[in-house]
Amino acid sequence: MRKIALEIVQTIMTLAHNLGMDVVAEGIETAEQMLQLKRLQCEYGQGYFFSNGT
């Protein structure tokens, strides 16, 4: 993930967590993306990394 994109995702996740909300990441396509989201404590995710569309 590019640095600017990662900073935007981190800001959105911080805002959601500060508001007591869980975060759902959509469009996860790689293990790297999943690991970065886990490091940011993203609660839920979906995308082709987990399962192809039906």
Side-chain angles (χ1 to χ4, degrees), residues 13-27:
M13 292 189 63
T14 299
L15 174 62
H17 288 150
N18 286 342
L19 294 172
M21 302 170 79
D22 287 344
V23 177
V24 179
E26 297 185 9

Side-chain angles (χ1 to χ4, degrees), residues 1-4 9-12 16 18-23 25 27 31 33 35-36 38 43-44 46-47:
M1 199 178 300
R2 292 186 348 244
K3 184 178 183 210
I4 187 95
V9 169
Q10 185 174 14
T11 299
I12 292 168
N18 286 342
L19 294 172
M21 302 170 79
D22 287 344
V23 177
Q33 290 172 338
L35 290 173
Q36 288 176 329
K38 277 185 153 187
E43 288 80 13
Y44 304 100
Q46 65 181 33

Side-chain angles (χ1 to χ4, degrees), residues 36-52:
Q36 288 176 329
L37 290 163
K38 277 185 153 187
R39 282 187 213 114
L40 295 171
Q41 300 178 357
C42 183
E43 288 80 13
Y44 304 100
Q46 65 181 33
Y48 284 117
F49 178 75
F50 302 104
S51 176
N52 290 336

